[in-house]
Amino acid sequence: MSSMSEEADPSESRAAARGAAAGPLPGRVTFNRFELNRILNLYGRMVADGEWRDYAIDFLKDRAVFSVFRRASEVPIYRIEKDPRLARKQGIYSVISATGLILRRGHELDRVLLVIDRKLAVV
């Protein structure tokens, strides 16, 4: 016998589970489509240059982190973080080096990424 009641349709419970899995988890900070597009464009260029090889994305309760690796077995050489708590202070975006040094922080993602994007940087 099933633990579900006879009136409940099994497809409804599967649809509810699918809907919950499709949306972002409540209380999580995420990158939006524009932010991910900009970060992945930079990542693609650096992979083509042979400098970067792997990445990881973490969506935490207080921030979203895009980590870039030279090799998969190493610590990340750069972390691109989005921290909404700093939106009215230093800026929501930051680029952090492997040593933990904040290379640049700001309110606009494009300007923050200039610190690691040699193509767009003014020499």
Side-chain angles (χ1 to χ4, degrees):
M1 273 214 150
S2 173
S3 63
M4 294 177 52
S5 69
E6 294 298 319
E7 292 96 24
D9 184 12
S11 62
E12 289 176 7
S13 63
R14 278 186 258 136
R18 239 189 342 262
L25 295 173
R28 301 280 184 204
V29 177
T30 61
F31 291 109
N32 64 31
R33 185 179 297 262
F34 168 76
E35 294 162 343
L36 273 179
N37 187 30
R38 176 64 182 96
I39 293 169
L40 288 173
N41 281 339
L42 171 62
Y43 176 78
R45 283 198 313 272
M46 295 303 237
V47 167
D49 289 343
E51 294 187 27
W52 296 352
R53 299 209 186 248
D54 200 7
Y55 72 92
I57 301 176
D58 297 311
F59 298 129
L60 307 172
K61 289 186 179 189
D62 60 340
R63 67 185 186 274
V65 182
F66 187 94
S67 303
V68 177
F69 298 87
R70 185 165 286 137
R71 290 182 185 82
S73 63
E74 293 182 350
V75 296
I77 54 175
Y78 295 111
R79 289 189 335 251
I80 302 164
E81 292 191 2
K82 177 182 179 181
D83 191 347
R85 294 176 300 173
L86 301 174
R88 294 182 183 222
K89 297 177 185 174
Q90 297 106 346
I92 193 168
Y93 304 106
S94 58
V95 173
I96 303 170
S97 71
T99 60
L101 178 69
I102 298 174
L103 300 176
R104 185 170 286 177
R105 181 176 279 162
H107 298 283
E108 298 174 16
L109 181 62
D110 288 333
R111 294 192 57 134
V112 171
L113 291 179
L114 284 177
V115 74
I116 53 178
D117 190 357
R118 286 180 283 141
K119 179 184 170 200
L120 298 177
V122 178
V123 177

